[in-house]
Amino acid sequence: MKMKIKRHHLAIRFTHWITALSILVLFFSGFGQMPLYKRYFVDQLPGLAWSSDFWVTLHLHYAAAIVLVFISIYYVTYLIATKKYDILPRQGDFKESLQIFKAMVGLAQEPESDKYLAEQRLAFAVTAFSIFALIVTGILKVYKNTVGASYSPDTIFWLAQIHNLFTVILLFSVIVHVLAFLLKPNRPLVISMFTGKIDRDYVIHRHGKWWRKLNPNTTVPEDTTEADAPAIAAEVPPDVLPEPGGSE
């Protein structure tokens, strides 16, 4: 049986899937406040008659937005409390991401990675900033509808434009995120978002920097293949290897 290493704690998996669900509901309810679903007969589909009701989609949008706000606060609190900032972008991530892409099409050698790939850290930054912008502009848009609030027409216009812009950016980010995991080298990472664990050999082969942090006395050559991984793992004393499903 292949040895597993814990990649994501329950808190991370919980945050990921609640965030994903709330964003999907926000997309669906947000587009539902336009006449799209009636115009294109989406509301004629079984169980979706409500989708063209503005008030239903508006309240659904608000509910999903509240969930997103709270899960975002929870995640930021988790990062600060645990000081696990390995998902944050680093200098050189863009260049490294290009090298990873070239490696996938056979034009370069893939660089060894830390726990997260450089492209994952960049994608996180884009997604996180988009969510932040949407939360801020969304709160301001809601405040506009309260008693006593007064915005100029220009402010209302630009609030809507910025909110729409980051909606498109977030949608594009989500699409790219999903498509990236259709690539064969990335598929094991998808499984880890459900189980929290990943094969040790995959870590040695692709995440050499992370493996050395888990096992500081081992050496992972840059040209390591998955076939080499068991031999490298065998060099590690048993008391140094992470427990199956052990700590990050």
Side-chain angles (χ1 to χ4, degrees):
M1 185 176 70
K2 288 188 176 181
M3 188 174 192
K4 301 287 185 178
I5 295 175
K6 178 165 283 188
R7 179 175 168 85
H8 301 296
H9 286 300
L10 179 60
I12 294 297
R13 286 176 280 146
F14 172 77
T15 300
H16 177 273
W17 292 115
I18 294 299
T19 301
L21 178 61
S22 62
I23 287 175
L24 288 176
V25 174
L26 283 165
F27 281 146
F28 188 82
S29 58
F31 288 120
Q33 290 165 49
M34 307 174 189
L36 293 178
Y37 297 157
K38 182 172 288 293
R39 180 180 300 169
Y40 295 106
F41 308 108
V42 174
D43 59 355
Q44 301 301 310
L45 296 174
L48 290 178
W50 56 269
S51 64
S52 59
D53 186 318
F54 175 81
W55 293 109
V56 171
T57 55
L58 179 64
H59 286 91
L60 183 62
H61 199 72
Y62 284 171
I66 291 172
V67 172
L68 183 62
V69 169
F70 278 98
I71 199 64
S72 297
I73 293 172
Y74 170 80
Y75 183 61
V76 171
T77 303
Y78 172 85
L79 288 182
I80 295 173
T82 61
K83 294 182 172 59
K84 293 180 179 178
Y85 303 125
D86 40 12
I87 188 61
L88 299 182
R90 305 170 187 174
Q91 185 176 3
D93 275 354
F94 183 75
K95 181 179 179 180
E96 188 172 322
S97 295
L98 290 178
Q99 189 175 348
I100 292 173
F101 176 76
K102 290 179 180 177
M104 288 184 176
V105 295
L107 297 179
Q109 177 72 33
E110 180 172 302
E112 61 174 8
S113 297
D114 208 329
K115 180 179 179 181
Y116 296 99
L117 301 174
E119 59 197 54
Q120 288 180 299
R121 293 192 292 268
L122 292 178
F124 171 82
V126 172
T127 301
F129 187 78
S130 298
I131 290 175
F132 174 76
L134 287 169
I135 288 175
V136 172
T137 54
I139 290 174
L140 292 175
K141 282 164 64 70
V142 171
Y143 177 74
K144 167 181 65 70
N145 299 324
T146 61
V147 177
S150 178
Y151 289 171
S152 68
D154 283 347
T155 301
I156 295 174
F157 172 80
W158 284 110
L159 270 178
Q161 297 309 307
I162 294 172
H163 195 77
N164 294 340
L165 171 63
F166 280 101
T167 296
V168 173
I169 292 174
L170 183 60
L171 179 58
F172 179 75
S173 176
V174 169
I175 292 172
V176 171
H177 179 70
V178 172
L179 291 178
F181 288 111
L182 294 179
L183 299 173
K184 187 176 179 179
N186 294 335
R187 291 174 194 168
L189 300 176
V190 179
I191 298 173
S192 70
M193 285 310 305
F194 290 95
T195 66
K197 301 174 183 177
I198 195 165
D199 287 343
R200 177 197 59 187
D201 292 353
Y202 179 85
V203 173
I204 295 173
H205 164 59
R206 202 171 191 214
H207 298 268
K209 291 180 181 179
W210 182 34
W211 172 257
R212 281 198 297 275
K213 288 179 180 178
L214 295 173
N215 303 279
N217 296 323
T218 62
T219 302
V220 181
E222 291 186 5
D223 57 348
T224 298
T225 65
E226 288 192 72
D228 300 324
I232 294 173
E235 297 175 0
V236 183
D239 59 338
V240 177
L241 275 172
E243 293 290 334
S247 61
E248 295 180 317

